[in-house]
Amino acid sequence: MSLLYGCSSITDFMTLDKDDSNTSAQSKKISTTEAKEAPVAEPVKVQKVVKKPLWDKKLPQNQVVSNYCKKIEKKFRHWGWGYSRCMNIKWNNVRKSHLGDPLIWTVYGSEELQKSSNPKDMTLILCGVHGDEITPIKFCFDIIHHLEKVVNGHLPGHEELEDKLVVVAPIVTPDSFFKRRPTRTNARGVDVNRNFPTKDWNRDALRLWKTRYRSDKRRYPGERPLSEQETIFQVNLIKRYNPSKIITVHAPLSILDYDGPEFHSHNHDGAQIVVPNAQELLIQMSKMANGYKIKNYPFFPGSLGNYAGNERNIPTYTLELPTSDNRKHKKYWATFKDAIHSAILHDMKKEVEVATLPDEDDVSTN
């Protein structure tokens, strides 16, 4: 059964065959006693998911989150995106950005079950890491709206989510998104996706920034790793939820990139076979997005892919939308919703046959 497609239920009705002309009447006779003792088949009852009201009331939020939702709603109107429904969503918030906006995330599934000896398959979705990549932020809200419709019975697939845990953080770097002219770096001028505490940060981050990127301000990794609130926020989400996979949405490179255990490896944490699963999902996401191109980007010092995928063996997928054009948000959601659906439901603990990767185009980022 699918989150996006309805499921059909077929009720079989039992009927008696009519007398055949070649069968004697005697062979078709049933005694009164036999008729009384014969069991009567009852129609199969199909359990329906009761629809719960959707967007009917505002959920209680603290004052900081409430004010933030008003800012988000205003931005949505500015970009022509309709309603964010921010006040109708249950948010979590612990940390603030440099300029004081709350760093929020929402959860679908039971966090308590995630702490058990048999945790659920867990998907962490991050958007708005670079504030000038605005379409990923709307894309994350589209994911949230879709999940809200599913869990409230407005779309089929509620049962599929019962053994899943999904966390969505739609605006990782709000300070840069809410600028009159959004920027890649945060309010302190740091590229949050170069600030993770990777093993090669101290050796390479600033050196490569100065030599390879000629001190490009858009890619400044900061004075030290983990110096930014937005980086700490992401690291804490990873530590708290121990994701089976991470999906991060960016723009505008028009590719699907994978960071994580090498496909020739066999084990993850010494137990479950994860790598074939990771490869299968990569190919599946590409196919469901009309053959979206897979490209192999190298690791960067301080990047999420390096920190989570390379060093911690968490399969990490970067979906690069084609553009940051605010007018194309509906097209992008229609194109990639099946790929996101497959990623959320894909069980990383399940053993699979090794899938075959399509030919990749190596990309130089020098």
Side-chain angles (χ1 to χ4, degrees):
M1 186 164 59
S2 165
L3 281 176
L4 301 171
Y5 302 107
C7 58
S8 61
S9 299
I10 302 175
T11 305
D12 294 326
F13 294 94
M14 299 179 63
T15 59
L16 292 175
D17 293 336
K18 294 181 180 180
D19 289 352
D20 190 278
S21 59
N22 295 325
T23 307
S24 66
Q26 183 65 29
S27 64
K28 289 292 184 180
K29 287 183 179 179
I30 302 177
S31 67
T32 305
T33 304
E34 290 174 332
K36 289 180 179 179
E37 293 177 353
V40 179
E42 296 182 359
V44 178
K45 294 182 179 180
V46 179
Q47 186 176 2
K48 295 183 179 180
V49 178
V50 178
K51 283 187 179 181
K52 298 178 182 179
L54 186 67
W55 317 132
D56 68 322
K57 62 180 180 180
K58 296 180 179 179
L59 298 179
Q61 316 278 3
N62 63 46
Q63 193 60 49
V64 173
V65 174
S66 179
N67 292 339
Y68 185 55
C69 280
K70 292 177 183 177
K71 287 182 64 174
I72 293 174
E73 205 68 56
K74 185 177 179 180
K75 271 292 183 182
F76 266 57
R77 290 197 300 270
H78 171 76
W79 294 117
W81 289 343
Y83 295 104
S84 73
R85 306 295 184 185
C86 184
M87 292 297 293
N88 305 100
I89 299 164
K90 183 179 179 181
W91 297 109
N92 295 281
N93 165 239
V94 174
R95 191 170 295 275
K96 294 181 182 179
S97 69
H98 179 69
L99 297 181
D101 278 329
L103 303 178
I104 59 175
W105 75 97
T106 187
V107 181
Y108 297 91
S110 171
E111 290 191 48
E112 291 302 317
L113 290 178
Q114 188 67 5
K115 301 174 184 177
S116 68
S117 58
N118 186 28
K120 294 183 175 185
D121 181 83
M122 194 276 154
T123 306
L124 173 61
I125 304 176
L126 304 169
C127 296
V129 174
H130 296 137
D132 59 348
E133 298 169 7
I134 63 173
T135 46
I137 292 173
K138 176 58 167 64
F139 192 85
C140 249
F141 273 92
D142 286 333
I143 295 173
I144 292 170
H145 293 176
H146 177 74
L147 291 171
E148 288 284 338
K149 292 174 183 177
V150 172
V151 299
N152 286 289
H154 292 255
L155 287 175
H158 181 271
E159 298 84 353
E160 291 179 309
L161 290 178
E162 290 181 354
D163 61 344
K164 305 293 178 184
L165 183 65
V166 186
V167 168
V168 187
I171 313 177
V172 170
T173 312
D175 292 348
S176 56
F177 172 65
F178 285 104
K179 288 183 179 179
R180 187 172 66 88
R181 293 184 177 179
T183 60
R184 176 184 174 94
T185 56
N186 69 0
R188 286 161 41 88
V190 175
D191 181 347
V192 175
N193 202 32
R194 298 292 183 271
N195 191 242
F196 282 87
T198 54
K199 295 176 182 178
D200 58 357
W201 201 98
N202 290 327
R203 183 187 69 231
D204 295 331
L206 287 169
R207 178 182 64 83
L208 291 176
W209 174 65
K210 292 176 182 178
T211 58
R212 180 180 296 179
Y213 298 110
R214 300 179 182 180
S215 300
D216 181 1
K217 291 182 179 180
R218 283 172 47 82
R219 290 173 172 81
Y220 178 55
E223 293 182 0
R224 66 183 188 281
L226 208 64
S227 62
E228 306 308 301
Q229 293 298 314
E230 298 88 353
T231 316
I232 298 171
F233 170 61
Q234 295 176 86
V235 167
N236 286 347
L237 287 179
I238 292 170
K239 291 180 177 180
R240 174 170 179 167
Y241 293 105
N242 189 27
S244 310
K245 53 188 174 293
I246 298 173
I247 301 170
T248 180
V249 187
H250 286 259
L253 298 184
S254 298
I255 64 168
L256 183 61
D257 181 38
Y258 169 81
D259 294 315
E262 294 295 330
F263 290 135
H264 58 71
S265 302
H266 297 291
N267 295 307
H268 175 53
D269 293 337
Q272 301 294 342
I273 299 178
V274 169
V275 174
N277 244 320
Q279 181 167 328
E280 181 190 56
L281 178 54
L282 178 65
I283 296 167
Q284 186 173 317
M285 290 177 70
S286 172
K287 288 180 178 178
M288 289 188 169
N290 301 322
Y292 208 58
K293 184 173 290 186
I294 296 172
K295 285 196 176 183
N296 182 25
Y297 256 55
F299 297 121
F300 296 97
S303 69
L304 172 68
N306 195 349
Y307 175 82
N310 182 38
E311 296 185 356
R312 284 157 184 78
N313 290 332
I314 303 171
T316 302
Y317 303 84
T318 301
L319 171 60
E320 286 270 357
L321 300 178
T323 72
S324 289
D325 189 339
N326 62 293
R327 298 165 296 179
K328 296 184 178 181
H329 62 97
K330 292 182 180 179
K331 176 183 177 181
Y332 294 158
W333 175 241
T335 300
F336 298 106
K337 63 181 179 180
D338 287 355
I340 295 298
H341 149 73
S342 67
I344 290 174
L345 297 186
H346 191 86
D347 190 351
M348 283 296 181
K349 296 181 179 181
K350 182 180 178 182
E351 294 189 15
V352 298
E353 295 293 330
V354 179
T356 302
L357 277 172
D359 293 334
E360 297 180 8
D361 295 328
D362 291 331
V363 178
S364 172
T365 56
N366 292 338

